[in-house]
C-alpha cells in the first residue's frame, strides 16, 4: 500500500471479526515497532504480545475497572473482540541511565532535565508504527490506555517488572465494521490552517 494511503486510512478500530491474525503479521508489527526513534537510542521500550485467548481474557480481567467513571460497556464489548493485544511498556530508568553515560553527561539522573518524558513519547511512536503496519497489512487496530488504578493488577497478572510502565495497548484484528466510529463520527477534523502556524503563531501579519 502507498504510504499516503496508509496515513489516510489509519483509524481506531473498536470491533473485530473472529478471524485469527496470522503469526507473521503479528511479528511484522513488533519488528516495525522497534524501528521507531528513541532518545539517545535508549530503546527503553518492551512489548507484551498476547495472542492466546486465555492471555487476552486475563488482560481484560486485570484491567477492566469495577466501577468506571463513565459507561464503558459498549466500548469493552467491542474491544474484547480483538484477538491480539500488544501492551506497549517503557522504562524511565533505561533513559535516565542512558543519559548518565559519558557521551550524554547527566550523571545526576535528574528527571527535571527532560522537557517531556521521552520514555513515553518514544513508546508512543513505536505504537503508531504498529497502527500503520496494521493498516498496511489489511488489519484494524486501536490504541488505548490502562487506567492508573489497574496498573498494579496488570503487573501481577503478567509478571511485569516495576521498572516498566504501560504507555498503552494496541488491539489488533480484522475490522468488523469499516465505517468510522467513536469521536471522529461526532467531531469533524480540524482545518489544517487552524492547527498549522507558519513562521509565527497565527501566521505572518
Amino acid at each position: 500500500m502507498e504510504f499516503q494511503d496508509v496515513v489516510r486510512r489509519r483509524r481506531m478500530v473498536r470491533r473485530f471479526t473472529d478471524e485469527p491474525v496470522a503469526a507473521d503479521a503479528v511479528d511484522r508489527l513488533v519488528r516495525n515497532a522497534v524501528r521507531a526513534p528513541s532518545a539517545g537510542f535508549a530503546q527503553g521500550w518492551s512489548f507484551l504480545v498476547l495472542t492466546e485467548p486465555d492471555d487476552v481474557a486475563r488482560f481484560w480481567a486485570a484491567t477492566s475497572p469495577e466501577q468506571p467513571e463513565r459507561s464503558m460497556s459498549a466500548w469493552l464489548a467491542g474491544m474484547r473482540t480483538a484477538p491480539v493485544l500488544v501492551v506497549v511498556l517503557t522504562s524511565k530508568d533505561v533513559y535516565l541511565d542512558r543519559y548518565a553515560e559519558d557521551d550524554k553527561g547527566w550523571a545526576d539522573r535528574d528527571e527535571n532535565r527532560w522537557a517531556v518524558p521521552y520514555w513515553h513519547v518514544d513508546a508512543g511512536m513505536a505504537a503508531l508504527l504498529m497502527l500503520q503496519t496494521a493498516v498496511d497489512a489489511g488489519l484494524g487496530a486501536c490504541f488505548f490506555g490502562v487506567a492508573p488504578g489497574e496498573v498494579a493488577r496488570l503487573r501481577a497478572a503478567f509478571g511485569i517488572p516495576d521498572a516498566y510502565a504501560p504507555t498503552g495497548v494496541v488491539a489488533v484484528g480484522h475490522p468488523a465494521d469499516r465505517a468510522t466510529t467513536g469521536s471522529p463520527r461526532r467531531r469533524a477534523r480540524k482545518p489544517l490552517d487552524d492547527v498549522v502556524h507558519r513562521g509565527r503563531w497565527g501566521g505572518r501579519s
Side-chain angles (χ1 to χ4, degrees):
M1 190 181 296
E2 292 292 332
F3 178 71
Q4 281 304 128
D5 289 335
V6 169
V7 173
R8 180 174 55 83
R9 295 183 185 183
R10 205 267 338 131
R11 64 181 181 85
M12 296 300 188
V13 174
R14 296 172 177 84
R15 185 173 292 276
F16 306 87
T17 71
D18 57 5
E19 183 180 354
V21 175
D24 60 346
V26 177
D27 290 344
R28 185 180 168 208
L29 288 174
V30 292
R31 283 199 307 269
N32 284 355
V34 300
R35 301 296 300 183
S38 64
F41 208 39
Q43 306 167 80
W45 48 54
S46 281
F47 306 93
L48 175 64
V49 181
L50 307 177
T51 57
E52 296 299 319
D54 287 350
D55 292 333
V56 172
R58 186 152 40 105
F59 170 87
W60 290 116
T63 61
S64 299
E66 296 179 1
Q67 294 182 324
E69 295 179 1
R70 56 189 175 88
S71 176
M72 298 177 64
S73 57
W75 182 87
L76 281 170
M79 294 302 296
R80 283 175 172 163
T81 62
V84 175
L85 299 174
V86 181
V87 184
V88 182
L89 300 147
T90 189
S91 172
K92 174 176 64 177
D93 287 341
V94 169
Y95 284 77
L96 299 183
D97 289 345
R98 171 67 186 98
Y99 274 75
E101 294 177 13
D102 291 343
D103 63 324
K104 299 298 184 184
W106 292 353
D108 55 11
R109 302 178 81 254
D110 185 0
E111 289 183 48
N112 292 322
R113 293 182 179 276
W114 294 82
V116 295
Y118 268 85
W119 36 96
H120 285 300
V121 172
D122 293 348
M125 288 193 278
L128 178 57
L129 283 177
M130 282 193 276
L131 295 176
Q132 292 180 319
T133 301
V135 174
D136 192 51
L139 300 168
C142 183
F143 179 83
F144 63 95
V146 176
E150 314 306 325
V151 172
R153 288 199 298 171
L154 176 65
R155 290 189 197 283
F158 294 98
I160 299 170
D162 289 344
Y164 283 84
T167 297
V169 184
V170 179
V172 184
H174 293 270
D177 185 359
R178 299 277 178 179
T180 299
T181 61
S183 294
R185 185 174 56 187
R186 300 182 293 271
R187 295 170 59 89
R189 189 178 300 278
K190 291 183 177 181
L192 197 63
D193 288 345
D194 285 1
V195 296
V196 176
H197 306 275
R198 304 179 190 279
R200 59 177 294 160
W201 192 271
R204 299 185 185 278
S205 57

